[in-house]
Amino acid sequence: MNKLSNQSIAILVPCYNEELTVAAIVRDFNACLPQAVVYVFDNNSKDATVRLALEAGAVVRNVPLQGKGNVIRRMFADVDADIYIMVDGDNTYDASVAPKLAEKLVDEGLDMVVGTRVSTEQEAYRFGHRFGNRLLTGSVAAVFGNTFTDMLSGYRVFSRRYAKSFAAHSAGFETETELTVHALELRMPVAEVETIYRSRPEGSVSKLNTYRDGIRILWTIIKLFKTEKPLAFFSLAFFAFMLAAVGLAVPLLQTYLATGLVPRLPTAILSVALSLFGVISLNCGLILDTVTKGRIEQKRFAYLAISAPRVKHA
């Protein structure tokens, strides 16, 4: 028996001006997973994306708030399914591997399976994007743990309990970072599966800006570091302030021990102020660490309230 035959599966396709590719995506996923429902979430497209998606047999929903993060928030909120398969609307991912990803999720009781991009086409996965992905993935690994090799992949499979416990704060392309950190934060069982990554068809234009979106993703990592690891974040600030304070204070102390005078009073005041800032930063970290642990526990309870993915017997 097909392991997925008793699972409700939703194919989630975020789209913005993808008239050249959306129909092919809907047809390909319908062919590979005929029991699934393909949802196209249109994000204010100005072309024929909506019409072509409807003609191909997709269920179309409109999301007026611009940005991929806003679309994913609506996807997880509006769609009920046992398995969620999210794929970008540019037809660069291989639909035929979707059953394999979904079966791995169910067989191993996972909450997220990431389709790791593998490509021999230089145009499909440019060097700048590869380097940026490795840099950002390495940054997340250093802060939250080393689990993924392709953090920014747009091809993922989720369990129901993942989707319904994901808060989705991001608005744009940095949402992939948040998806990754959510799994790492709750220590969810996850995996990666290699999948072919193709170049966009001729005439199709990427919505990703390498430098602008790379900076936004890096900024998101810093914010998540502050939010999810406040003690470590503010401890770094504590050590920076204290190091500067000590550096300023040592010459003053040497002069005072030699002469009994403090000739540079403004420097002494600055050193004391930096020390106070350091102590305040450390206190902020200690307080927020307690708050964060309580918030993570609540997210964990919401996650555990939904049963794990498993094979259903007829």
Side-chain angles (χ1 to χ4, degrees):
M1 184 184 69
N2 185 349
K3 298 175 183 178
L4 304 176
S5 59
N6 290 326
Q7 304 283 343
S8 60
I9 303 174
I11 312 295
L12 307 178
V13 188
C15 279
Y16 174 64
N17 292 338
E18 299 288 6
E19 64 178 2
L20 296 179
T21 57
V22 66
I25 291 175
V26 175
R27 288 194 298 267
D28 289 346
F29 277 93
N30 275 331
C32 294
L33 288 168
Q35 74 271 40
V37 179
V38 180
Y39 294 87
V40 170
F41 279 72
D42 180 68
N43 199 202
N44 303 314
S45 293
K46 304 299 189 296
D47 58 11
T49 296
V50 171
R51 177 176 60 82
L52 293 173
L54 288 170
E55 291 176 356
V59 177
V60 177
R61 303 280 177 84
N62 296 311
V63 182
L65 288 176
Q66 198 68 39
K68 187 176 181 180
N70 293 320
V71 175
I72 290 176
R73 185 182 301 111
R74 281 287 303 276
M75 285 177 169
F76 287 166
D78 293 355
V79 177
D80 284 318
D82 295 321
I83 299 173
Y84 298 78
I85 300 177
M86 186 182 74
V87 62
D88 287 343
D90 53 11
N91 200 24
T92 54
Y93 294 96
D94 182 11
S96 66
V97 79
K100 178 181 178 181
L101 298 176
E103 287 178 0
K104 187 175 184 66
L105 184 93
V106 173
D107 287 344
E108 301 181 19
L110 305 176
D111 287 304
M112 181 170 69
V113 179
V114 178
T116 305
R117 292 170 288 183
V118 177
S119 178
T120 58
E121 300 179 45
Q122 183 64 31
E123 184 60 28
Y125 201 8
R126 297 192 296 273
F127 172 77
H129 289 179
R130 293 176 193 262
F131 176 76
N133 188 12
R134 289 173 183 171
L135 176 63
L136 295 170
T137 299
S139 300
V140 168
V143 176
F144 297 99
N146 190 9
T147 303
F148 299 99
T149 58
D150 187 4
M151 183 188 72
L152 303 181
S153 173
Y155 197 9
R156 300 173 186 241
V157 180
F158 306 97
S159 67
R160 175 180 174 81
R161 63 181 182 177
Y162 180 103
K164 297 305 180 182
S165 65
F166 180 61
H169 298 292
S170 300
F173 283 105
E174 65 272 21
T175 189
E176 273 94 358
T177 302
E178 194 177 13
L179 288 167
T180 301
V181 170
H182 178 61
L184 296 176
E185 179 188 53
L186 294 186
R187 302 175 188 176
M188 295 180 181
V190 297
E192 288 183 312
V193 174
E194 290 188 350
T195 179
I196 298 298
Y197 186 64
R198 304 182 295 258
S199 59
R200 279 176 167 266
E202 186 177 352
S204 177
V205 180
S206 173
K207 315 303 183 300
L208 179 67
N209 183 293
T210 303
Y211 300 104
R212 181 197 63 202
D213 290 308
I215 292 172
R216 289 177 64 181
I217 293 168
L218 184 60
W219 179 240
T220 297
I221 293 172
I222 294 173
K223 290 193 296 183
L224 287 170
F225 180 32
K226 177 183 72 69
T227 303
E228 308 302 337
K229 304 282 187 179
L231 183 56
F233 180 86
F234 285 101
S235 291
L236 291 176
F238 165 74
F239 285 117
F241 282 126
M242 294 306 294
L243 185 63
V246 171
L248 292 173
V250 168
L252 296 178
L253 181 61
Q254 291 175 338
T255 301
Y256 175 76
L257 293 175
T259 65
L261 300 174
V262 183
R264 291 180 290 171
L265 185 60
T267 302
I269 295 174
L270 177 60
S271 178
V272 172
L274 290 173
S275 299
L276 290 175
F277 284 141
V279 172
I280 291 171
S281 295
L282 184 59
N283 286 333
C284 286
L286 291 170
I287 294 169
L288 290 176
D289 185 61
T290 302
V291 174
T292 298
K293 287 180 178 177
R295 182 172 53 80
I296 291 175
E297 285 181 357
Q298 292 301 315
K299 292 173 68 174
R300 183 75 180 176
F301 291 148
Y303 163 78
L304 293 174
I306 303 172
S307 60
R310 58 176 61 91
V311 176
K312 298 179 182 178
H313 301 286

